[in-house]
Amino acid sequence: MSLSDDLYRETILDHYHHPRNHGAIEHPTAQVEGVNPLCGDELTLYLNVKDNKIEDVKLTAKGCSINTASGSMMSELLLGKSIEEANEIVDLFKRMMLDKNEEVELPDELEDLEALRGVKKYPVRIKCALLPWNTMLEGLGNTLKSPTT
Amino acid sequence: MTKLNVEQIRKDFPILKRQVEGKQLVYLDNAATSQKPKVVIDALTEYYEGYNANIHRGIHTLAEEATDAYESVRETVRAFIDAEHTHEIIFTSGTTEAINLVANSWGNANILPGDEIVLTAMEHHSNLIPWQRLATERSAKLVFIPITEDGQLDMAEAKKLITDKTKIVAVTQMSNVFGTINPVKELAQLAHARGAVILVDGAQGVPHVKTSVRDLDVDFLAFSMHKMLGPTGVGILYGKTELLNAMPPFQSGGHMITTVSREKASWAELPWKFEAGTRNIADVIASGKAIEYLSALGMENVREHEIEITKYALEKLSELGDITIFGPKDATLRGGVIAFNVDAIHAHDIGQICADAAIAVRAGHHCCQPLMRDLNVMGTARASFYIYNTKEEVDLLFEALKEADKVLGHVAVR
Ligand SMILES: Cc1ncc(COP(=O)(O)O)c(C=O)c1O
């Protein structure tokens, strides 16, 4: 299998060409900018959290395919989750991407994220895949601090 | 047909036999660093195995051999850039250090509040940040010569911006993004007419274009050996004698002194005043071999080969309808550096798909973030050629870009 096939397998291409939850939220409970200084990728994450639940999430990203696809998958998986659940998923994904021994397994409901495992072969691009998730962590943190109405 | 025997040249570069995941390496990242011929690699081993010793210090045989070898490279460099004196050649660790040396030593002695430092909109960070720091420390002002749409310097503006307030003009000889070869000689005249000096960043120019500091009449020239077949860790600063003599040392310590008492020291003469501590002896010696290799090919022939391959690449890549190529369209106005974007595909994705085809290109901002902002792009992909590159390799690049366009192109603008 060529490296291209590996990296740009269908799931990633699908999310890249049709990113889910793309756009902005007018009155978000949290809004965070993420940047990857190495390649200049930028994204803005909007969250609407009510009663400890992610009611809405939107992203506008200016970045590579990996960044865009990773953000799109993340938004799909975290929509409707509680803050605790979301934090757990983010944590699990980050561990999968950073773990060197391939010991982190994903539950079935997160199986889309398997597509991003191939990115691990390209250390410089792991950062691209992680940018939306690190931005999400910051957003979830901010949400906790600001009182919800 | 150019006068370079590329097939023969390729045999001198061991790395060009390299396979990447079963595919033949296509190295098109020469503006970042060039590959090295065997004579250069061998010179390193010969030094370490045969006459490794510190220079200018011992009176034993090895020390004398090492000193001779090191100092003879100074003469090789002098001849290569047509400087008047050997002592005008100073070995540094790279272009970056050479520019920092001037910005610190010359800058602190000469720049006063209100003075102007003229740069261009296409400078590499290494010919920008040292001047930013100097300007901040000295309350001086940075002035930027703008560029035209096809990536050339706007010389009409340059004439207005270089004034009696200008103390130094610091400009790249060749853009590492557009490939543009700048009219350095004319800029030197403009600077000198106003009593200013000119520093030329030759990191991209000297490896590809025959350069005579006397013909161009530049005051300082900085370049890096690793971009011209030499090893990493060696740069050259050329400076005119009167200027270098009037400048205080940059770094101080061993080797750059004549006599030292507890309270004070007197500086060694040129060029050693600027070469404190143990220098990069092995790599300087190997650098001499790199210059000899280029000289044997003839810089006119190197340039001719690059014009031909660049012309071919500009035409071939333009066949991709979705490509944006930056810089002059005429290959005779530019070096073999081609920055481009395909459709709205992120440069990293292009770099990746090329890498999958064993083609090495650069992707990103090329250490020119302000310029990327001017061009309103996040970054670009960049292919850059040297003496061993072939038209067949350009064809392979073209195929990879076609593939990238097929897989990732036609993204809805978001
Ligand atoms: C135009 C230009 N100036 C300066 C440099 C810096 O050279 P070095 O990293 O060898 O100091 C480069 C290399 O990337 C360059 O392209």
Side-chain angles (χ1 to χ4, degrees):
Chain A
M1 181 158 59
S2 109
L3 298 177
S4 282
D5 294 345
D6 216 16
L7 240 191
Y8 299 108
R9 41 169 96 188
E10 252 164 79
T11 322
I12 294 185
L13 285 180
D14 175 39
H15 281 271
Y16 169 66
H17 286 293
H18 312 283
R20 324 293 197 261
N21 301 303
H22 173 75
I25 298 175
E26 208 164 314
H27 300 293
T29 53
Q31 174 177 343
V32 194
E33 315 280 328
V35 277
N36 182 349
L38 204 71
C39 47
D41 285 357
E42 294 170 355
L43 67 84
T44 310
L45 169 76
Y46 303 86
L47 281 177
N48 216 342
V49 177
K50 275 208 184 96
D51 303 329
N52 198 39
K53 189 173 149 219
I54 301 179
E55 295 228 310
D56 199 3
V57 50
K58 288 244 176 332
L59 282 160
T60 48
K62 271 207 321 202
C64 65
S65 58
I66 302 300
N67 180 8
T68 305
S70 179
S72 168
M73 292 181 194
M74 175 188 79
S75 71
E76 222 175 26
L77 289 170
L78 298 191
L79 187 64
K81 295 282 188 296
S82 73
I83 295 208
E84 291 73 29
E85 288 168 331
N87 268 318
E88 264 169 44
I89 294 172
V90 176
D91 180 61
L92 189 63
F93 177 71
K94 284 186 72 175
R95 277 196 288 125
M96 173 190 96
M97 292 305 290
L98 297 170
D99 159 55
K100 296 227 160 40
N101 306 320
E102 295 298 344
E103 279 163 1
V104 180
E105 288 186 19
L106 298 177
D108 287 351
E109 79 234 40
L110 302 182
E111 74 170 338
D112 266 11
L113 297 177
E114 281 297 336
L116 290 166
R117 218 187 260 270
V119 176
K120 291 175 72 173
K121 266 201 263 169
Y122 312 92
V124 288
R125 304 202 71 193
I126 295 178
K127 284 197 189 69
C128 310
L130 288 182
L131 181 65
W133 300 78
N134 283 328
T135 314
M136 175 61 81
L137 275 186
E138 207 181 316
L140 293 174
N142 290 357
T143 297
L144 283 180
K145 271 175 246 141
S146 60
T148 48
T149 45
Chain B
M1 267 303 286
T2 65
K3 291 185 203 80
L4 289 194
N5 183 343
V6 175
E7 208 177 310
Q8 197 57 42
I9 287 172
R10 289 183 71 88
K11 292 192 184 132
D12 295 334
F13 290 76
I15 208 168
L16 297 180
K17 295 190 198 80
R18 169 89 203 257
Q19 305 261 314
V20 180
E21 310 248 341
K23 295 184 190 120
Q24 174 61 44
L25 167 73
V26 175
Y27 188 77
L28 301 179
D29 194 15
N30 292 287
T33 198
S34 76
Q35 296 303 344
K36 327 298 176 198
K38 187 136 191 339
V39 280
V40 168
I41 302 165
D42 286 348
L44 294 169
T45 323
E46 282 159 19
Y47 165 74
Y48 284 123
E49 290 184 355
Y51 57 101
N52 171 48
N54 211 328
I55 51 173
H56 302 304
R57 290 184 194 179
I59 43 167
H60 53 86
T61 308
L62 269 55
E64 276 170 13
E65 287 174 7
T67 305
D68 278 354
Y70 178 90
E71 287 301 330
S72 76
V73 176
R74 220 186 285 280
E75 169 55 24
T76 308
V77 175
R78 183 209 63 76
F80 189 69
I81 61 169
D82 188 34
E84 191 172 356
H85 304 290
T86 310
H87 65 242
E88 293 176 320
I89 306 301
I90 292 158
F91 293 120
T92 67
S93 67
T95 304
T96 302
E97 192 185 56
I99 296 173
N100 274 278
L101 190 162
V102 177
N104 275 270
S105 168
W106 180 90
N108 281 317
N110 289 281
I111 298 288
L112 297 170
D115 285 348
E116 294 187 353
I117 297 167
V118 176
L119 309 173
T120 81
M122 60 168 92
E123 296 310 313
H124 188 278
H125 293 166
S126 68
N127 196 30
L128 169 62
I129 322 279
W131 305 113
Q132 283 179 350
R133 295 184 66 189
L134 176 66
T136 308
E137 277 161 31
R138 296 265 140 182
S139 306
K141 193 174 154 205
L142 298 182
V143 175
F144 294 88
I145 302 173
I147 47 180
T148 62
E149 212 151 278
D150 66 343
Q152 303 201 56
L153 286 185
D154 185 335
M155 289 304 286
E157 280 300 309
K159 286 182 188 122
K160 288 185 224 151
L161 294 172
I162 299 173
T163 68
D164 291 339
K165 285 194 184 156
T166 308
K167 281 290 159 64
I168 187 165
V169 176
V171 55
T172 189
Q173 183 182 11
M174 183 197 290
S175 161
N176 65 316
V177 175
F178 299 128
T180 322
I181 299 171
N182 287 322
V184 166
K185 191 170 179 171
E186 196 182 337
L187 287 163
Q189 283 164 0
L190 291 173
H192 293 151
R194 302 296 190 150
V197 302
I198 182 165
L199 172 140
V200 173
D201 172 354
Q204 295 297 339
V206 174
H208 304 275
V209 185
K210 190 178 175 67
T211 304
S212 159
V213 291
R214 276 189 282 189
D215 175 54
L216 298 174
D217 195 20
V218 298
D219 300 294
F220 298 106
L221 174 71
F223 57 102
S224 298
M225 288 307 307
H226 71 90
K227 294 188 199 277
M228 47 193 286
L229 313 183
T232 52
V234 181
I236 311 291
L237 173 67
Y238 157 83
K240 281 186 184 158
T241 304
E242 316 81 75
L243 290 166
L244 292 177
N245 267 331
M247 284 157 57
F250 174 44
Q251 292 171 337
S252 38
H255 208 76
M256 44 73 72
I257 37 76
T258 45
T259 52
V260 180
S261 69
R262 287 219 169 122
E263 285 74 31
K264 59 177 199 269
S266 53
W267 314 139
E269 52 194 87
L270 289 177
W272 303 290
K273 178 168 88 173
F274 292 107
E275 293 183 8
T278 297
R279 308 307 290 184
N280 190 348
I281 304 164
D283 292 310
V284 165
I285 293 171
S287 295
K289 300 292 175 205
I291 293 182
E292 283 165 16
Y293 189 98
L294 284 173
S295 299
L297 295 179
M299 288 308 287
E300 294 88 349
N301 298 329
V302 169
R303 176 79 186 117
E304 199 184 312
H305 169 71
E306 287 183 14
I307 290 177
E308 190 172 312
I309 195 163
T310 304
K311 186 165 180 285
Y312 180 74
L314 288 170
E315 283 164 12
K316 184 83 193 172
L317 298 187
S318 300
E319 289 175 20
L320 277 168
D322 283 335
I323 197 166
T324 310
I325 296 177
F326 299 94
K329 299 285 169 280
D330 177 351
T332 62
L333 300 177
R334 63 187 290 159
V337 180
I338 302 182
F340 59 89
N341 276 327
V342 179
D343 201 356
I345 307 173
H346 193 283
H348 276 181
D349 287 323
I350 294 181
Q352 184 85 56
I353 289 190
C354 288
D356 292 342
I359 301 171
V361 295
R362 178 81 185 264
H365 53 61
H366 316 298
C367 295
C368 289
Q369 286 182 16
L371 178 61
M372 294 295 122
R373 232 162 277 137
D374 290 349
L375 297 174
N376 200 20
V377 293
M378 267 190 289
T380 78
R382 180 185 74 185
S384 50
F385 311 114
Y386 213 8
I387 50 176
Y388 34 69
N389 289 121
T390 64
K391 290 182 183 169
E392 290 72 35
E393 289 178 311
V394 174
D395 291 341
L396 290 169
L397 173 66
F398 176 77
E399 291 305 323
L401 296 182
K402 241 172 45 186
E403 167 77 9
D405 199 20
K406 196 176 93 201
V407 182
L408 296 173
H410 314 289
V411 223
V413 177
R414 299 194 267 269

